[in-house]
Amino acid sequence: MTESGALEPQDVERLRVALAEGKPTPVWFTPAAVGVEAGQQAKVVAFDEPAEGDFIQVRPHGSRDVLAFSPAELTTVKPPVKPKPAPAPPPPEPPAVVQGIESAPVEQTRSRSRAKPQQPVEITVTLHATPDGEWSVDVLVGKKRTVRWVPVPAGDIARVAKSLPAEVGEAIAVSLTAARERQLRRVAELKAELEAAQRALRDLG
């Protein structure tokens, strides 16, 4: 295990063995984890193959979502309990005002720090659609993942597609149309099942 607590290959292998034996070892998120709080506990549920990038699938404590992380974002070392912050001291009492004496104005100097110009970085935005028409987005700023597969309403995707190049918009439209047709067939099937159940109910008196 590294000094930062991130998983090394032997740690990952121990987690694999424990999961195969039905005794998964708890893990915690390191400060390098994206989209979750550092120090939060999670449970390992699966490993993707090949073991590259974000291949360790975990379920954060108190959540039903399963997310994928890299070894650098996980640790088996339980973080120390953070002490409760001390209560803030009471505000100082305002100074007494002596009538007839005016205080001289105090000049306040403000230091202005020159902001360093930010270097341009490569940004990768990935849209993903399931066969059921559910969309999500993933964002990489350089090599740092800032958004991890956040759900996006299909209606927003349809509006964005209108401003994209024709080939991209056409591909999105095909996916949306196929999802809409599947939902229409599902509605028709449910409607037929409902009508059949109603007829059976009438027959029973």
Side-chain angles (χ1 to χ4, degrees), residues 63-114:
S63 173
R64 295 182 179 179
D65 297 331
V66 175
L67 306 175
F69 291 88
S70 67
E73 298 175 291
L74 300 173
T75 178
T76 56
V77 179
K78 184 177 181 180
V81 179
K82 297 181 180 179
K84 295 183 179 179
E93 297 182 358
V97 179
V98 180
Q99 188 174 3
I101 300 177
E102 295 182 358
S103 59
V106 180
E107 296 183 358
Q108 297 181 352
T109 60
R110 299 180 180 178
S111 61
R112 298 182 178 180
S113 60
R114 296 182 178 180

Side-chain angles (χ1 to χ4, degrees), residues 1-6 8:
M1 184 173 298
T2 61
E3 294 181 359
S4 62
E8 290 188 341

Side-chain angles (χ1 to χ4, degrees), residues 1 4 55 57 77 88 106 125 130 134 143 180 185:
M1 184 173 298
S4 62
F55 68 93
Q57 296 187 22
V77 179
V106 180
V125 179
T130 67
E134 297 178 353
K143 296 182 179 180
R180 186 181 299 109
R185 288 195 297 270

